[in-house]
């Protein structure tokens, strides 16, 4: 993380105040809710996750291909498509050597090897325990493996280029254990071929393991295409590049148990990692970069005649699981997504960093724009693709009224998302959105956090900045039950916390700070006091509430805001009691209430509250 300018306290009295517990209602035994203040070498710390350094990093971190940094040691238990699939549970002791530089037809240990020009085919039939050890260079040819039993393919300093089609064609429907040793490279050709699915194609489950490296270049279709599952193990160093389509394509689940995995794609609508079912990350360091723009895909079965498609770092038709390891996802093209899952998302641990830089993509099959700035309210969703750091769920326009589906649950992990293009949201769930732990920090052009259904925050740390829209926006009911929440929305009609006017906000816990042009929504109920105020805040300044010299709660500002509408709530605040509200060098006496004023929330009225 980059070092930032150390925060300097303005008043000696303030220094003493912030050294106390930020929100004394928090449990110091819970890492996700530990809000103990400290001054560490001059840096202000709300807790170990919200500091001047982390707030700066949220706005400045970068993502690039990294083949050399060591694989992170922290991981969780590896998972596999079926019991017994683990490479360590399978032994292949019968060696069959294939020298790509000098291939020869032969029958060895139950394996039939044939050579046609520069194309090599090995068929082990029903023979079990076969390990193919492949060495040498093939400048314009292919290696095909057939058989009715699982096998190991050990690439040992092998280089295969096929200018005509697939370079490694694993036609066996059984498990293929692709073991890497030494340095290996695989490249396919650009010749049109309906059977050409990728530079490496596997009909059965593909398990990539070993301690070597492999670089794969897809110039016609995908880099690696597994018709079934694709599993990547700890120890490997894998780089995949596709200039046309997806980097790693799985016809079923893609599971990353570890390794150094770098994937970049540049095709229109391409995904760096794309699973037809689920994508699971348990360990390792995965970098997924997509630079292609959005595209129009004609489909006569749709009333719109087609649909827009966007590129993504991670994309799957099912569920996205993040349990451990590190994920760095970036999309720079129009409508791009960092992570996209059509059904659900579950984040329980690990580190996630996401950047999107593209604008709103629009196409109706005839007219196209890669930075559309027009009104989208009356457009079919099929015509647009909005850039998003993370999108979970989908909208179904084929039914009336339109239905949305999805579920996102974050119970752990360290997440940072930054978006900069027009209409670019940070994290969106098309269904419900629950945060119960971990740290979520989002700096977005549009909404930072958005849910179509109910949203619940019951733990963890949330820092949400929506520079041109709401910081946290729920189209369903919102339940704030715990954790630390700092929400900074845009000016004008935008808000820090926004609840659909037909729904309600319920507060039963949590240390909450919200600032925006107004507050918006209806307060259902609260079990803790609420302070209403208006004023300006400066980036890296501290807003705190104290009583008799003891700080009850304090918040480190992730951004500056002028003349905003503010509300603060904490379990330490009681309706009807008076407190000292401090903002930098200014302070005033306030009285907590059980309502939120400033707009429609809490009964309506003009913007107001206590002003600094």
């Amino acid at each position: 993380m980059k070092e930032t300018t150390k925060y300097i306290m303005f008043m000696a009295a303030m220094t003493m105040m912030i050294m106390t517990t930020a929100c004394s209602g928090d449990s110091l035994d819970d890492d996700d809710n530990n809000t103990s203040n400290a001054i560490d070498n001059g840096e202000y710390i709300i807790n170990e996750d919200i500091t001047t350094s982390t707030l700066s990093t949220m706005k400045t971190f970068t993502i690039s291909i990294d083949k050399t940094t060591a694989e992170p040691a922290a991981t969780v238990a590896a998972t596999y498509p079926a019991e017994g699939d683990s490479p360590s549970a399978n032994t292949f002791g019968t060696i069959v050597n294939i020298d790509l530089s000098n291939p020869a037809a032969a029958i060895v240990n139950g394996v039939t090897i044939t050579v046609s020009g520069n194309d090599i085919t090995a068929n082990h039939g029903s023979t079990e325990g076969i390990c193919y050890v492949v060495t040498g260079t093939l400048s314009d040819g292919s290696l095909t493996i057939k058989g009715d039993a699982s096998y190991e393919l050990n690439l040992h300093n092998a280089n295969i280029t096929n200018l005509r089609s697939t370079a490694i064609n694993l036609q066996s429907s059984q498990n293929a254990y692709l073991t890497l040793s030494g340095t290996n490279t695989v490249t396919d050709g650009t010749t049109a071929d309906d059977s050409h699915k990728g530079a490496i194609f596997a009909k059965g489950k593909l398990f990539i393991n070993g301690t070597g490296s492999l670089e794969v270049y897809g110039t016609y279709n995908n880099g690696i295409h597994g018709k079934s599952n694709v599993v990547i193990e700890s120890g490997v160093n894998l780089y995949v590049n596709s200039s046309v389509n997806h980097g790693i394509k799985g016809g079923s689940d893609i599971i990353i148990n570890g390794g150094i995995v770098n994937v970049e794609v540049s095709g229109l609508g391409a995904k760096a990692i794309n699973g037809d079912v689920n994508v699971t990350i348990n360990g390792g360091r995965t970098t997924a970069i997509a630079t292609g723009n959005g595209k129009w895909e004609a489909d006569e079965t749709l009333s719109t005649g087609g649909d827009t498609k966007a590129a993504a770092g991670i994309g799957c038709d099912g569920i996205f699981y993040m349990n451990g390891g590190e994920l760095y996802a970036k999309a720079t093209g129009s409508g791009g997504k960092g992570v996209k899952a059509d059904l659900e998302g579950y984040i329980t641990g690990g580190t996630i960093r996401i950047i999107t830089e593209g604008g709103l993509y629009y196409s109706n099959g005839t007219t196209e724009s890669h930075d559309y700035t027009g009104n989208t309210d009356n457009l079919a969703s099929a015509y647009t693709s909005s850039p998003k750091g993370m999108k979970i769920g989908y909208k179904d326009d084929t039914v009336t009224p339109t239905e949305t589906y999805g579920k996102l649950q974050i119970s752990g992990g360290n997440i940072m998302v930054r978006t900069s293009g027009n209409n670019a949201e940070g994290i969106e769930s098309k269904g419900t959105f629950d945060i119960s732990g971990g740290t979520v920090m989002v700096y977005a052009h549009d909404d930072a956090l958005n849910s179509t259904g109910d949203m619940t925050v019951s733990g963890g740390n949330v820092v949400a900045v929506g520079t041109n829209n709401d910081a946290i926006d729920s189209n369903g009911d919102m339940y704030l039950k715990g954790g630390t929440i700092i929400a900074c929305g845009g000016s004008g009609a935008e808000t820090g916390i926004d609840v659909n006017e037909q729904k309600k906000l319920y507060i039963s816990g949590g240390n909450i700070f919200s600032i925006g042009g107004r507050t918006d929504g209806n307060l259902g109920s609260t079990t803790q006091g609420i302070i209403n105020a208006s004023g300006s805040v400066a980036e890296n300044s501290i807003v705190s509430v104290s009583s008799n010299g003891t700080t009850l709660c304090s918040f480190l500002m992730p951004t500056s805001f002028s003349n905003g509408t503010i509300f603060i709530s904490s379990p330490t605040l009681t309706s009807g009691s008076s407190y000292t509200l401090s903002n930098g060098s200014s302070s005033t006496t306030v009285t907590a209430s059980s309502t939120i004023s400033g707009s429609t929330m809490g009964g309506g009225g003009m913007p107001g509250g206590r002003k600094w």
Side-chain angles (χ1 to χ4, degrees):
M1 296 184 179
K2 295 183 178 180
E3 290 294 324
T4 61
T5 302
K6 302 301 182 181
Y7 181 78
I8 301 175
M9 300 307 300
F10 292 98
M11 301 174 62
M14 276 292 289
T15 302
M16 296 182 63
M17 289 170 58
I18 66 170
M19 290 291 287
T20 61
T21 302
C23 294
S24 58
D26 288 337
S27 169
L28 299 184
D29 296 327
D30 185 349
D31 288 341
D32 288 334
N33 291 316
N34 184 351
T35 54
S36 175
N37 288 333
I39 297 294
D40 182 11
N41 295 326
E43 178 180 47
Y44 185 76
I45 300 173
I46 288 290
N47 58 44
E48 62 183 8
D49 296 307
I50 303 177
T51 70
T52 52
S53 288
T54 59
L55 293 181
S56 175
T57 300
M58 173 181 67
K59 300 177 184 180
T60 60
F61 73 90
T62 60
I63 294 175
S64 60
I65 296 298
D66 182 359
K67 301 178 183 179
T68 58
T69 302
E71 175 184 351
T75 186
V76 299
T79 57
Y80 298 94
E83 185 176 355
D85 277 345
S86 168
S88 63
N90 293 268
T91 302
F92 303 95
T94 304
I95 304 299
V96 175
N97 293 302
I98 298 177
D99 183 355
L100 299 173
S101 301
N102 298 287
I107 298 177
V108 182
N109 294 330
V111 177
T112 300
I113 300 175
T114 60
V115 180
S116 176
N118 289 330
D119 297 325
I120 305 166
T121 300
N123 191 338
H124 57 268
S126 60
T127 305
E128 297 182 349
I130 295 297
C131 174
Y132 297 100
V133 178
V134 180
T135 59
T137 298
L138 194 58
S139 58
D140 185 14
S142 64
L143 174 64
T144 299
I145 306 294
K146 296 181 179 180
D148 300 320
S150 297
Y151 60 96
E152 179 179 353
L153 176 61
N154 187 326
L155 296 183
H156 181 68
N157 295 318
N159 297 282
I160 305 176
T161 298
N162 187 0
L163 301 178
R164 295 161 286 118
S165 188
T166 300
I168 296 181
N169 195 352
L170 307 180
Q171 281 295 312
S172 171
S173 60
Q174 301 303 306
N175 289 0
Y177 293 87
L178 179 59
T179 302
L180 307 179
S181 57
T183 303
N184 306 275
T185 304
V186 175
T187 307
D188 68 358
T190 59
T191 304
D193 179 355
D194 289 342
S195 64
H196 186 180
K197 304 298 184 183
I200 296 177
F201 173 80
K203 188 175 182 180
K205 299 175 187 176
L206 178 62
F207 300 85
I208 304 175
N209 63 101
T211 58
S213 67
L214 172 63
E215 295 193 354
V216 181
Y217 297 90
T219 61
Y220 174 74
N221 202 332
N222 305 306
I224 297 175
H225 185 125
K227 188 176 180 180
S228 182
N229 306 101
V230 178
V231 181
I232 301 172
E233 295 288 278
S234 178
V236 306
N237 191 321
L238 177 65
Y239 171 77
V240 183
N241 182 302
S242 174
S243 57
V244 181
N245 206 356
H246 310 308
I248 301 175
K249 169 72 174 180
S252 188
D253 289 358
I254 295 177
I255 302 172
I256 300 176
N257 288 321
I260 299 171
V261 182
N262 288 281
V263 188
E264 53 185 340
V265 295
S266 55
L268 299 179
K271 280 74 175 175
I273 297 174
N274 184 39
D276 282 353
V277 186
N278 305 325
V279 171
T280 300
I281 299 178
N282 294 318
R285 186 181 73 252
T286 300
T287 303
I289 299 176
T291 59
N293 281 318
K295 71 174 183 177
W296 174 260
E297 190 170 275
D299 187 342
E300 295 180 357
T301 65
L302 298 177
S303 61
T304 53
D307 196 6
T308 54
K309 303 293 182 182
I314 303 278
C316 67
D317 296 340
I319 302 173
F320 171 70
Y321 297 94
M322 182 74 187
N323 301 314
E326 300 174 1
L327 169 62
Y328 302 89
K330 183 177 181 179
T332 62
S334 56
K337 314 291 191 295
V339 173
K340 175 183 176 293
D342 286 346
L343 294 183
E344 299 174 358
Y346 297 91
I347 301 172
T348 63
T351 298
I352 297 177
R353 299 289 183 266
I354 296 175
I355 296 173
T356 68
E357 296 176 344
L360 174 65
Y361 176 67
Y362 167 82
S363 179
N364 58 11
T366 302
T367 303
E368 183 180 59
S369 172
H370 294 292
D371 190 18
Y372 186 75
T373 57
N375 192 311
T376 62
D377 291 344
N378 297 318
L379 290 177
S381 63
Y383 291 157
T384 62
S385 182
S386 298
K388 299 179 191 296
M390 182 181 298
K391 178 188 176 184
I392 305 297
Y394 71 99
K395 179 188 290 187
D396 187 356
D397 280 336
T398 65
V399 297
T400 304
T402 298
E403 294 286 347
T404 55
Y405 306 88
K407 177 191 293 185
L408 174 58
Q409 294 183 350
I410 300 173
S411 57
N414 186 298
I415 304 166
M416 284 189 186
V417 176
R418 186 172 71 251
T419 70
S420 58
N422 180 46
N423 227 56
E425 292 184 325
I427 302 177
E428 179 193 44
S429 172
K430 288 296 185 182
T432 59
F433 191 163
D434 298 330
I435 300 174
S436 60
T439 296
V440 181
M441 305 180 76
V442 181
Y443 191 83
H445 179 277
D446 206 271
D447 293 342
L449 305 180
N450 181 282
S451 69
T452 301
D454 292 349
M455 181 182 292
T456 302
V457 180
S458 57
N461 302 293
V462 176
V463 177
V465 180
T467 58
N468 291 274
N469 213 323
D470 303 320
I472 303 177
D473 183 3
S474 176
N475 292 284
D477 291 323
M478 184 182 294
Y479 301 89
L480 304 182
K481 300 179 177 181
T484 297
I485 302 166
I486 301 174
C488 301
S491 58
E494 314 309 337
T495 70
I497 294 177
D498 182 16
V499 181
N500 187 291
E501 61 183 9
Q502 297 176 339
K503 302 295 181 176
K504 292 183 178 181
L505 169 66
Y506 299 91
I507 301 175
S508 58
N511 302 291
I512 306 159
F513 175 90
S514 171
I515 187 170
R518 63 174 185 168
T519 57
D520 198 5
N522 298 298
L523 180 63
S525 63
T526 181
T527 61
Q528 55 193 45
I530 296 171
I531 292 174
N532 296 284
S534 60
S536 302
V537 297
E539 182 176 347
N540 288 340
S541 68
I542 301 161
V543 175
S544 63
V545 180
S546 61
S547 177
N548 297 320
T550 299
T551 301
L552 302 178
C553 60
S554 59
F555 305 90
L556 184 61
M557 295 296 99
T559 189
S560 297
F561 198 104
S562 297
N563 300 318
T565 299
I566 298 168
F567 82 82
I568 298 170
S569 184
S570 170
T572 62
L573 305 180
T574 302
S575 178
S577 297
S578 295
Y579 303 95
T580 299
L581 175 61
S582 300
N583 174 21
S585 59
S586 301
S587 63
T588 187
T589 300
V590 295
T591 300
S593 69
S594 59
T595 62
I596 299 176
S597 63
S599 186
T600 59
M601 189 172 289
M606 297 296 292
R610 175 71 66 170
K611 188 177 182 67
W612 275 296

